[in-house]
Each structure stands twice: as C-alpha cells, then as structure tokens.
Amino acid sequence: MEKNIFDPLGIILVSSGSKGDRLLFRYPFESTGNAEESVKSKKSPYAQIVTSDPFSQKRKLKSSIQNGELVGYTDTILTNLLAVKSDLCGKKFELRIDDVLFVGFPLLLQSGSGVSYRKDQPTMISFNVVFALRTNVAASVINCYHDLAKQIAVALRHEQTRCNYLSQQKSIMWGIQDDIASLPEDAMESPFPLILQKCPLAKHMKHIYDGLCSTGIILLRINKWVDISFCLPHKVHNAGIAHKGITVEPEAVQRCLSALKPYHAVLLLEDENKLLDSLPLDCSPSLIRVIKVSSPLRSLQSLASDADLALSQVFQLVSHLVDWAKATIIYPLCETNVYVISPYANTMVNSTLVEEFTERFAHASLACILSEFSLPTPYGEHRDFLGLPQHQARQVQMVIWLLQHRLLLQLHTYINFVPPKLPHIHVSSSQNQQRVSVDHIADTSSSGNIKRPSSLSDVESVTSDGSPNILWNRPSPETEAGMVVTEEMKANWRIQEMLGHLTGLQKQSLQAVPAASNPEDLKTFAKLSPYFNGKHHLEDIMYYENVRRSQLLTLLDKFRSVLITCTHQDPATSFHVPS
C-alpha cells in the first residue's frame, strides 16, 4: 500500500494506573529484533544503560520513519513519552520529536461510574489514544487526528462506564505481555501479533489504521455498541483525483460550500445503490431521500421539492455528502453549459481512466470524446439531435462520467461594468437622435485657466437643441410640486434611483451608449447593474432576476462598449482546481 503524507505512522494505546504506566498496544508493530529489545527492557528495568542519551539508538538512524511506519521507538520509550499525568487529561496531546509528531487525547476514567474495583486489583486511572504522524503535515490534518483520537477515547470511556470494556481488554493485553516476558530470551517474540488475534480492541485499532491508510474513512462500532464515524477530508478528496498536480484542502471545500446556491445541482461520485448500502443503519431518512431523488439534471431547489424537505436542510445534507467525497457540486446539465478539458486532466492513452471508460461505454474512445472539448464550447453543439433517444442519453451519461472524474471544467460568463476613459463623450439626444460631442470644458479660477473633464451635469445640459435629456436630467419629485407628474416621469425617476450606486464616470460613460436613450433598455440595464461587478455569472443573474438568457445576451450586445465579459469557473464548483 502506497503511503502519503496524510497517513498515520502508527496508532498507540497507553494506560496509567495504580501499577504504573503501560503500553497496551501499537500498530503496526516492529520486527522481532526490536520486539526482543523491548521485552528485554521490560524484563530488566534496572539494567545499566551505557549511553547517557536514551534516544541515541534512534538518532543513529537517518529517520524514525521507514516505509511509512514508525521505527526506533521501544515500548518503554513510547510508554514514558505518551503516558501523561492526570492534569493533562481531557486536553489535546501533542508531542514533536525530530521528524515524528504524536497526537492524542488522554482521558481520565471517572471514579464512581458504577464500575467496582477490588482493593488488591490493579486499576486503570487514565489512558491515551495516540497517532504518530509526520511533523510536516498541515495544521488541518493535525486537527482531524485530534478529533479522531477524542472520538475513540470518548467511546472507550463510555464502554468502560457501561460494561467495564476497557478493563477487560487491558487484562487480555497485560496477560499476553506478561506471559511472553516470562519466556527465555531465545524464545522471545513480539506480544502484539498474539494480542491482535485475541483482543477485539486491538482488532479495532488495526481497522482504524488500515482505514486511514486506504480510504481515509472510518466506520466502526466499538464493542458492537458505540459507532465511530470519521472522514479524513485530505485523503478522501484526493483519492478520487486521477491526475497529479492537484491537492484538495478542506478549507477549499468549505469555501465552495459557502458559495452554494439553490440553482446548483449535486452529482453523486458513487453508484446510488453502493452509496445507500454504505450508510449506517441509523442514518437520517432525509439523507436517503436526497440520495434517491438527486440528479445532475435538477437543481437543489427542485431536489428539495421532490424530497419534500426544506432547502436549508438539503443544503446541509448535500454539504455532508461533499465533505465525505460522496458527491460534488455542479451546475445542472443543460445545452448552454460551456465545458472544456481540465488543465490537470490525465489524458494519457494508457491511463486507468481509459479502461474504466471503455468498460462503462463500449465501443467509445475517451480520447475522441475529450477532443471534442478541447475548446470551450456549449454542450448543445456536441449533441446529436437527430440521433436516437438512446444515443442522446448515452451522450449525457458520458458527460456525467467526465464530470465525476474531474476531466471537464464548466466555464461561466461573468460581467464587469468598465467605463472607457475617453477624451470626449458622444451623447445621443433622446429628441432628435443626433449624436453630439461634448469636449472638455475649461474651468476658470482666480489662479488661471485649469482644464477639467466634463462632468455629468455638463453632458446633461448640452444637447443638439439646447434642451435637457429627459432620461438623465429630470427634476426630482420634490422639485415638481406644481407640475403634473406623468407615469413616464415616475419611470424615469425609478431608473435614476436604480442607477444611484454608479459613479459619475460610470453614469457619464453609460449615457454615451446609444442604447441608453431607450427607456426600456436603460431600465433593464439599471435593474441588472448591481450584478455587473465580476462576481455574478449569467446563470446567477438569470436565477435571481428571473430573466432569460436571450435577454441577457441582447443587453450585453447593446451595451458592449461599457460591459466586459470573462469566463472562468464558478467558485462553488472549483475546489479541486488550485487557485
């Protein structure tokens, strides 16, 4: 099994009691030679040590990490390092030594919990569940292992209180260790393989270690009673990436989930039946409903309606699926979606994805399908509308498969209102539709002649016939108390109010656009202008303002002199791409 930086070097369980500190179990355990030395150190605790540095043997090695496992630490050293005093219990435990970081969560076994002890029987006062990690892991990884250690420790203390479980497992481990320590030196062997065979708690610890190294997901029931449910996001999100050069951080996933919108859709990364079978028996029925009705063709708002759930609850359930890398967020699949090959996609002809694609879609070539998306084009241009319905459905499934394996990116169009810096502005008169030029107006002061750009009031006051522009220079309602106010005037006032957030330069540039002389076009522009800041794509505007794509594209064409578009990914769907 190939190890990476997120995998633990080992899992260790130590205890403190009336008879001193003891290493109960460690996995993976070292070779027989190291085990013999460990047993010798336990068998002869008063033997003279030649060197004054107890870590000298470890420091002779280049590293305490070999083949992704912890080496060089005897059982005695680990016991002395990881068994803590009562004052440190109930807190995060962290110890760095050279290139190894020990992370744990020690807990006290509460007295008076209903478990009775004999006075002559050794009692356990506290215990510590510890993971050995590399020191160069990120702080978020350390926090995850702290949470897992705490979850395991709390479960063990609960079972100790309920049925004396931990004391029973301790007795099994101690008994095997004492039996092996009493053997002759030539017959010594590591006690941990035998403990692993006979002790259920040791099997649980091995299961936890193997799960962290393989998938990063732990689903375990301690003593068939307390469930342990854990997901290492650094592992699960990167396990599904078939191309190198990408590392998904949990912070990036959370940023994307914070940008989740009702018009997004959820795309399951696993087969629906397989995902349902992996759920625990006591999982939320709402989660099962969401999984069953989810579809990459329907928005989360539609999904909430189909599942008869509140939209906020659907957001929480979908976020949970994304956290566990069981699903990803996309925009609902439609013909106007623009897709392009991911720059981090594995396009090698001998990649494992080629075999998976061929098994999933017989007589289809992954290279040929990807070649169709070498340039950003709408999905509708790739569809064969004259083909059979079965063939069209197959094309949709191919795109879904490419999105599941992160081979495609969806690009969205974002709009920015950028007024041009012109030496003069052309204004279209609303009365005679003639364009006039307003040059820079000289402003004379006592100190001399000073040139200044023409202001909005200058532009508004100059038209072809000397009359003010009815759309831009209309008096406010307060100043027209003695005038008859028409519906047209009220509409113009509303437009001016909607454009109130624009700067003088923006208003000046907007007035120079010929389409601004049309009240309906200007009203539509004013209504959508808050979205023209580069933070909202077309689909976002369409959803919140209930406008059609054709209306937006027409508006972009009419005001193209002041509107600039750019295409990139939606922040809610781009967590698997480095920023």
Side-chain angles (χ1 to χ4, degrees):
M1 182 186 302
E2 184 179 356
K3 300 294 185 67
N4 61 41
I5 191 174
F6 307 123
D7 296 336
L9 305 175
I11 181 172
I12 306 163
L13 177 64
V14 296
S15 66
S16 298
S18 59
K19 297 297 183 179
D21 304 330
R22 195 80 173 260
L23 179 97
L24 297 180
F25 186 71
R26 61 184 293 188
Y27 188 86
F29 31 81
E30 296 188 58
S31 60
T32 305
N34 292 330
E36 291 176 358
E37 180 183 357
S38 176
V39 174
K40 288 180 182 179
S41 64
K42 290 186 294 182
K43 186 177 180 180
S44 304
Y46 304 104
Q48 183 178 2
I49 302 177
V50 178
T51 177
S52 59
D53 187 356
F55 301 101
S56 59
Q57 181 180 359
K58 179 178 71 67
R59 288 177 177 169
K60 289 179 182 178
L61 300 174
K62 293 182 179 180
S63 174
S64 299
I65 305 172
Q66 293 183 4
N67 299 324
E69 298 179 3
L70 181 67
V71 297
Y73 284 85
T74 63
D75 296 350
T76 302
I77 291 178
L78 289 176
T79 302
N80 294 333
L81 291 175
L82 306 180
V84 300
K85 302 297 183 181
S86 300
D87 296 341
L88 298 179
C89 291
K91 304 175 183 178
K92 292 181 178 181
F93 174 84
E94 191 171 320
L95 176 64
R96 295 175 184 265
I97 300 178
D98 295 337
D99 55 349
V100 178
L101 171 66
F102 295 98
V103 171
F105 198 87
L107 277 183
L108 280 172
L109 294 176
Q110 299 174 353
S111 58
S113 58
V115 180
S116 59
Y117 299 99
R118 290 173 14 192
K119 293 184 178 180
D120 58 341
Q121 181 182 11
T123 60
M124 188 187 308
I125 299 175
S126 65
F127 66 98
N128 193 7
V129 179
V130 183
F131 291 97
L133 309 174
R134 295 168 174 81
T135 54
N136 58 344
V137 296
S140 57
V141 179
I142 299 174
N143 292 333
C144 289
Y145 277 98
H146 272 305
D147 294 340
L148 177 57
K150 180 179 180 180
Q151 194 175 161
I152 298 172
V154 171
L156 291 178
R157 187 171 67 176
H158 177 275
E159 287 304 281
Q160 173 68 13
T161 304
R162 188 180 69 88
C163 61
N164 207 17
Y165 173 76
L166 189 56
S167 295
Q168 296 172 1
Q169 302 301 305
K170 175 210 67 175
S171 300
I172 298 174
M173 296 176 181
W174 278 14
I176 295 175
Q177 292 177 0
D178 294 340
D179 291 342
I180 292 181
S182 63
L183 296 175
E185 293 185 6
D186 56 352
M188 285 184 179
E189 59 181 9
S190 173
F192 300 123
L194 190 57
I195 291 177
L196 187 59
Q197 295 179 11
K198 297 185 177 182
C199 181
L201 179 56
K203 295 179 181 179
H204 288 331
M205 296 181 67
K206 179 182 182 300
H207 177 83
I208 293 172
Y209 176 84
D210 292 340
L212 290 171
C213 293
S214 58
T215 62
I217 295 178
I218 305 299
L219 297 173
L220 177 66
R221 179 164 291 185
I222 299 290
N223 195 28
K224 300 181 180 180
W225 193 267
V226 182
D227 287 327
I228 300 294
S229 179
F230 174 80
C231 167
L232 184 62
H234 310 73
K235 184 84 174 182
V236 296
H237 287 291
N238 291 281
I241 299 178
H243 43 274
K244 298 181 179 180
I246 293 180
T247 300
V248 178
E249 298 293 341
E251 295 81 4
V253 178
Q254 294 304 317
R255 285 195 301 268
C256 293
L257 292 177
S258 64
L260 198 60
K261 298 293 193 303
Y263 56 75
H264 285 126
V266 59
L267 174 62
L268 298 180
L269 299 179
E270 291 186 5
D271 179 72
E272 178 183 323
N273 295 328
K274 180 180 178 182
L275 179 56
L276 292 174
D277 292 340
S278 65
L279 297 177
L281 297 177
D282 58 346
C283 74
S284 171
S286 300
L287 180 60
I288 298 177
R289 296 213 305 269
V290 166
I291 294 175
K292 288 184 176 180
V293 301
S294 63
S295 170
L297 306 178
R298 293 201 298 270
S299 65
L300 296 180
Q301 191 173 36
S302 300
L303 190 150
S305 178
D306 295 340
D308 194 20
L309 298 171
L311 183 60
S312 58
Q313 187 176 3
V314 171
F315 272 35
Q316 294 176 352
L317 296 173
V318 169
S319 299
H320 178 73
L321 291 174
V322 174
D323 279 334
W324 282 66
K326 302 298 183 181
T328 188
I329 301 300
I330 62 171
Y331 187 81
L333 195 63
C334 60
E335 297 174 2
T336 56
N337 289 358
V338 177
Y339 296 111
V340 68
I341 298 178
S342 170
Y344 301 93
N346 185 354
T347 56
M348 299 181 63
V349 295
N350 59 348
S351 67
T352 57
L353 290 177
V354 175
E355 298 180 2
E356 294 180 19
F357 185 81
T358 305
E359 292 178 1
R360 177 69 174 81
F361 305 100
H363 309 294
S365 171
L366 178 60
C368 292
I369 298 299
L370 289 177
S371 65
E372 297 180 6
F373 298 95
S374 57
L375 294 176
T377 50
Y379 170 63
E381 297 184 8
H382 302 284
R383 296 195 62 184
D384 183 9
F385 294 97
L386 300 179
L388 297 175
Q390 298 87 341
H391 181 63
Q392 296 182 11
R394 176 184 168 93
Q395 286 182 318
V396 172
Q397 292 301 320
M398 286 182 181
V399 174
I400 292 175
W401 189 92
L402 295 176
L403 291 172
Q404 286 177 328
H405 292 79
R406 301 183 176 96
L407 297 177
L408 291 183
L409 303 180
Q410 182 179 358
L411 302 181
H412 297 265
T413 300
Y414 291 79
I415 308 175
N416 293 271
F417 183 16
V418 181
K421 296 182 179 180
L422 300 176
H424 59 273
I425 292 182
H426 295 281
V427 181
S428 177
S429 173
S430 61
Q431 296 186 4
N432 56 14
Q433 298 299 321
Q434 295 179 353
R435 307 187 72 186
V436 298
S437 176
V438 180
D439 297 324
H440 292 287
I441 300 175
D443 183 16
T444 306
S445 64
S446 58
S447 59
N449 294 331
I450 301 177
K451 293 275 188 175
R452 66 175 178 83
S454 57
S455 66
L456 180 60
S457 60
D458 298 330
V459 177
E460 293 170 345
S461 62
V462 180
T463 59
S464 60
D465 60 353
S467 60
N469 189 305
I470 64 172
L471 293 179
W472 297 90
N473 199 26
R474 180 63 74 179
S476 63
E478 292 79 5
T479 63
E480 295 192 353
M483 299 176 59
V484 178
V485 180
T486 64
E487 292 298 327
E488 180 184 359
M489 295 170 63
K490 292 181 180 180
N492 291 335
W493 291 332
R494 286 194 293 268
I495 293 176
Q496 292 182 38
E497 291 177 357
M498 289 189 288
L499 294 173
H501 65 281
L502 300 182
T503 64
L505 178 60
Q506 289 175 328
K507 291 181 180 180
Q508 194 174 356
S509 302
L510 180 59
Q511 186 180 359
V513 180
S517 62
N518 187 316
E520 291 300 325
D521 291 339
L522 185 60
K523 180 180 178 181
T524 304
F525 184 96
K527 176 183 177 182
L528 303 180
S529 59
Y531 298 95
F532 300 157
N533 54 8
K535 299 180 181 179
H536 302 274
H537 50 71
L538 296 184
E539 291 77 13
D540 197 24
I541 302 173
M542 291 165 54
Y543 175 80
Y544 284 109
E545 294 299 331
N546 193 24
V547 296
R548 297 189 301 271
R549 183 181 296 271
S550 59
Q551 292 178 282
L552 275 177
L553 296 179
T554 302
L555 186 72
L556 286 175
D557 182 64
K558 291 182 177 181
F559 291 88
R560 60 182 178 274
S561 60
V562 293
L563 296 180
I564 296 178
T565 61
C566 61
T567 57
H568 56 82
Q569 277 194 285
D570 185 350
T573 63
S574 57
F575 65 86
H576 59 277
V577 177
S579 57

